């Protein structure tokens, strides 16, 4: 199953969950007591926050995929196939760190190029730093205006 299919299925499951939560919120509102109404408001806020999280995550994913397609069309995707791997399939830590340094240097030399930030995001990901990978990808998206 592809990541796209999995995210669509999980989003559909969340929609069902949010509808069920909405029913619970209505029951709490109908009760009328201040505590029940306050809990109902809380139950309504959960799906709102959940929808926002799902929307922003899916939007980030589609925008990132678009950048990947653009970079692939330019034959500029980073290639990690020659990096040594551990038996589990992960890139060897020292190799990932060395490759990361080359990508970081390239991003420092071209700070306004979204392509260098995209490659830096991949380097962060290969090195295992997902948080900085997302930040670098956000910078790439900002520069590419996708």
């Amino acid at each position: 199953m592809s990541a796209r299919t999995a995210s669509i299925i999980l989003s559909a499951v969340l929609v069902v969950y949010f509808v069920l939560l909405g029913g619970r919120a209505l029951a709490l509102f109908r009760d009328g007591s201040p505590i029940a109404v306050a809990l109902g408001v809380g139950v309504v806020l959960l799906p709102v926050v959940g929808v926002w999280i799902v929307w922003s995550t899916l939007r980030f994913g589609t925008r990132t995929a678009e950048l990947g397609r653009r970079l692939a069309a330019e034959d500029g995707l980073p290639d990690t196939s020659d990096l040594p791997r551990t038996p589990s399939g992960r890139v060897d830590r020292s190799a990932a760190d060395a490759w990361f340094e080359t990508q970081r240097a390239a991003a420092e030399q071209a700070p306004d190029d979204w392509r260098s930030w995209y490659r830096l995001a991949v380097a962060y990901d290969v090195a295992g730093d997902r948080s900085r990978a997302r930040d670098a990808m956000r910078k790439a998206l900002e520069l590419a205006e996708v």
Side-chain angles (χ1 to χ4, degrees):
M1 178 180 335
S2 71
R4 182 182 193 114
T5 303
S7 65
I8 290 170
I9 290 170
L10 289 174
S11 297
V13 168
L14 279 174
V15 167
V16 170
Y17 178 69
F18 296 154
V19 168
L20 293 173
L21 275 178
R24 296 292 176 211
L26 286 175
L28 288 167
F29 289 141
R30 286 189 193 125
D31 182 87
S33 71
I35 292 176
V37 171
L39 286 172
V41 169
V43 170
V44 166
L45 289 178
L46 286 174
V48 170
V49 170
V51 165
W52 178 80
I53 290 171
V54 167
W55 169 252
S56 63
T57 301
L58 290 175
R59 185 169 179 257
F60 179 76
T62 57
R63 293 171 66 209
T64 300
E66 173 60 28
L67 273 190
R69 284 189 292 275
R70 284 173 57 184
L71 199 54
E74 297 173 4
D75 199 30
L77 283 176
D79 183 18
T80 61
S81 62
D82 60 335
L83 296 176
R85 302 202 178 256
T86 63
S88 67
R90 291 184 180 184
V91 175
D92 178 68
R93 182 67 184 189
S94 59
D97 290 344
W99 189 70
F100 168 79
E101 287 302 323
T102 63
Q103 298 306 315
R104 185 176 61 85
E108 287 175 354
Q109 290 178 359
D112 295 329
D113 184 13
W114 66 267
R115 294 159 191 86
S116 64
W117 283 95
Y118 185 99
R119 291 182 193 109
L120 181 62
V122 172
Y124 272 122
D125 186 57
V126 167
D129 193 343
R130 302 280 192 276
S131 177
R132 288 186 178 152
R134 283 189 297 275
D135 291 342
M137 191 59 76
R138 283 186 191 100
K139 180 70 174 178
L141 289 166
E142 176 186 313
L143 291 171
E145 298 177 3
V146 173

